[in-house]
Amino acid sequence: MKSSLLDELIDALRCLPGVGPKSAQRMALHLLERDRPGGERLAAVLQDAMARIGHCKVCRTLTEHELCRVCADPGRQRDVLCVVETPADVLAVEQATGFRGQYHVLLGHLSPLDGIGPEELGLDRLEARLDEGEIREVILATSTTAEGEVTAHYIGELARARGIRSTRIAHGVPLGGELEYVDRGTLSHAFEGRREY
Amino acid sequence: MNRVHTTGFILHVRPYRDNSHILDLLTEAEGRTACLFRGRSQKARSFARYELAWQGRGELKTLSLLEEQSAVVLAAQRLACGFYVNELALKLLPRQIPLEGFFEDYAHTVAALARPDEDLEPLLRGYERSLLHYLGEGLESIDLAALEPEACYVYEAQRGLRIAGPGERSRGACVHGETLRELLGGGVQTPRGRQEAKRLLRGLLDHHLQGRRIMSRALFPGAAGQRQENREP
């Protein structure tokens, strides 16, 4: 039997993360039965976004312009570069900190066992940025997984080779966390990174 | 249904569907194997030793216990070496075949990587030798007493040792008797010996890799113009 348009919509919604068949069915029925204008707006914006949003020419975050809002802002510091893995990390740093420098989005991390080395990650683009001579500090804000750590180390070496200061975001016991519930690796890291108090 | 209870290390974590991961494991009971793990990826870390239990048959089992026994923190270059160690195991070891002794060699290598005063080159050469031993290379069968320290030799994968021909000496394909003695004895000390040992073991590993590239070797950035081979320990 040929699948109906409704089936097709339900199936299409399943491409979203965390959306299984039940949730997809609820979403489709909600839009069709209770919020047609919302559905039409979603369809229009989705089509527009898919067609126009690409990557910033400088930092590689998502934007529909040639330069993203951060790269185009003349009021931001040009000599501090925060290296993150994903566009979501840019949003997280922007929302949680008062950082006023530039970003470089790697769109992933080094993962040799998945076949991703420096070349595959496009680190030559970051090297070219470091070679421009404007950057004085690189903040390594990659994740604290083994892959994120090795990525930070590699980029740190690239910065050091050019005489650029590199710093790593601190990690350890989460705010409000109790020691007995913190895993061994994190606690060991937190002890290694203790500082004067 | 078969239930296996053992200890092991995670070699690699791959995301699977929304909330699951496929863990490539090196275990005491079954050697290299893979298990499905339902849970947060933060709970599954490479280089930590875990108490493990799984159920199921076939290639992919479901993990029912993942309890960290001891963790090591690898940083900087030592972490890159850890990836190298794991990548070799992942690409070279057969699945589902427990290799008596290799599990201990791996555990020793990872623990030593975490010690900041441990010399990396001999450690990695020791690990490579151990892998080659389990892959059937007979470096141990070389008669050390019969080696001339300054004579040049060629060791060919799966074939063994022979005296180098005149042309081979200039191409850097050969290894001195002294290097072989040190490598198979206590450890290589001289820069020439270390270079030769690295080249010899790499050549043998490359033979077993059958054209597959070891990506972790690219994790060692070096000075401009420096050959990749000379960047890694």
Side-chain angles (χ1 to χ4, degrees):
Chain A
M1 196 174 78
K2 200 180 165 201
S3 69
S4 68
L5 193 53
L6 178 60
D7 291 335
E8 242 179 88
L9 175 61
I10 293 169
D11 193 48
L13 285 166
R14 289 188 60 189
C15 74
L16 293 166
V19 176
K22 278 274 177 198
S23 305
Q25 185 178 305
R26 269 186 60 211
M27 287 176 187
L29 294 177
H30 172 83
L31 292 174
L32 291 167
E33 289 181 326
R34 297 197 184 88
D35 196 3
R36 293 243 171 184
E40 279 163 17
R41 185 167 166 255
L42 176 65
V45 174
L46 195 59
Q47 192 162 27
D48 203 21
M50 288 301 131
R52 289 176 45 215
I53 293 179
H55 294 283
C56 171
K57 195 175 82 172
V58 176
C59 75
R60 300 210 291 180
T61 197
L62 294 170
T63 177
E64 69 270 36
H65 305 292
E66 198 176 353
L67 291 182
C68 70
R69 215 166 34 192
V70 171
C71 291
D73 184 350
R76 295 188 72 118
Q77 281 177 270
R78 316 230 40 111
D79 57 352
V80 187
L81 183 74
C82 179
V83 179
V84 293
E85 291 182 13
T86 65
D89 297 338
V90 174
L91 297 176
V93 175
E94 282 292 287
Q95 286 159 10
T97 71
F99 180 65
R100 295 289 298 157
Q102 308 292 312
Y103 291 96
H104 188 89
V105 184
L106 298 170
L107 303 175
H109 49 222
L110 292 175
S111 184
L113 279 72
D114 292 310
I116 303 168
E119 208 180 308
E120 290 72 18
L121 194 56
L123 286 184
D124 51 332
R125 292 181 64 157
L126 175 60
E127 286 192 69
R129 255 185 117 176
L130 298 180
D131 284 335
E132 284 167 14
E134 209 174 8
I135 293 153
R136 282 190 305 108
E137 181 183 350
V138 174
I139 301 172
L140 303 163
T142 53
S143 58
T144 56
T145 58
E147 286 82 3
E149 279 296 330
V150 88
T151 307
H153 167 64
Y154 190 93
I155 297 169
E157 290 295 312
L158 295 181
R160 254 186 296 282
R162 290 162 176 80
I164 299 168
R165 179 179 180 223
S166 66
T167 53
R168 179 85 170 111
I169 54 164
H171 36 268
V173 182
L175 284 181
E178 291 172 44
L179 287 197
E180 67 171 308
Y181 299 114
V182 176
D183 66 89
R184 290 175 191 184
T186 306
L187 199 51
S188 148
H189 238 298
F191 258 76
E192 294 275 320
R194 70 188 182 277
R195 59 184 189 194
E196 291 297 331
Y197 184 71
Chain B
M1 195 179 277
N2 282 349
R3 187 170 195 269
V4 179
H5 192 168
T6 184
T7 60
F9 291 87
I10 295 171
L11 297 175
H12 186 45
V13 181
R14 281 176 286 159
Y16 180 72
R17 294 195 174 154
D18 276 345
N19 300 312
S20 301
H21 298 85
I22 293 172
L23 309 185
D24 282 299
L25 303 163
L26 180 68
T27 66
E28 207 165 10
E30 292 199 355
R32 193 165 87 71
T33 189
C35 281
L36 186 69
F37 166 63
R38 291 196 179 93
R40 292 162 62 215
S41 62
Q42 290 94 320
K43 272 202 80 186
R45 279 199 298 249
S46 302
F47 316 117
R49 193 180 186 122
Y50 288 95
E51 183 182 351
L52 304 161
W54 63 76
Q55 281 170 330
R57 285 174 197 175
E59 286 252 312
L60 191 65
K61 282 88 56 176
T62 304
L63 211 60
S64 54
L65 175 72
L66 180 74
E67 188 70 43
E68 195 174 286
Q69 288 181 327
S70 63
V72 297
V73 179
L74 300 183
Q77 198 185 27
R78 289 168 182 275
L79 180 57
C81 292
F83 274 107
Y84 175 67
V85 164
N86 279 5
E87 192 176 0
L88 282 181
L90 201 64
K91 288 190 170 158
L92 288 173
L93 288 179
R95 279 187 173 216
Q96 312 293 136
I97 299 175
L99 300 168
E100 207 179 314
F102 180 77
F103 182 80
E104 284 71 28
D105 289 347
Y106 175 89
H108 162 77
T109 307
V110 169
L113 275 178
R115 290 195 290 268
D117 53 342
E118 190 79 30
D119 193 355
L120 289 174
E121 273 203 57
L123 183 65
L124 293 181
R125 296 300 87 79
Y127 177 73
E128 290 165 346
R129 264 190 59 200
S130 169
L131 251 181
L132 287 166
H133 169 74
Y134 289 102
L135 293 171
E137 285 298 342
L139 280 165
E140 292 75 16
S141 61
I142 293 174
D143 181 6
L144 297 183
L147 293 174
E148 288 289 333
E150 281 309 309
C152 289
Y153 298 88
V154 171
Y155 188 93
E156 284 181 285
Q158 306 288 313
R159 297 176 82 168
L161 194 72
R162 61 174 171 78
I163 290 276
E168 288 169 317
R169 285 171 207 200
S170 54
R171 276 190 274 122
C174 62
V175 54
H176 285 87
E178 185 189 19
T179 303
L180 285 168
R181 269 192 196 170
E182 288 181 349
L183 179 65
L184 302 169
V188 188
Q189 298 299 333
T190 61
R192 180 187 80 173
R194 284 189 171 203
Q195 198 64 31
E196 284 183 355
K198 181 153 80 173
R199 213 182 299 131
L200 168 71
L201 296 178
R202 173 160 306 187
L204 294 174
L205 289 170
D206 285 347
H207 170 84
H208 287 275
L209 284 163
Q210 297 176 322
R212 285 172 297 172
R213 188 175 155 207
I214 293 291
M215 294 294 290
S216 316
R217 288 176 183 158
L219 295 180
F220 300 89
Q226 189 183 7
R227 289 179 58 192
Q228 181 65 49
E229 184 189 290
N230 297 331
R231 295 172 185 179
E232 323 142 18

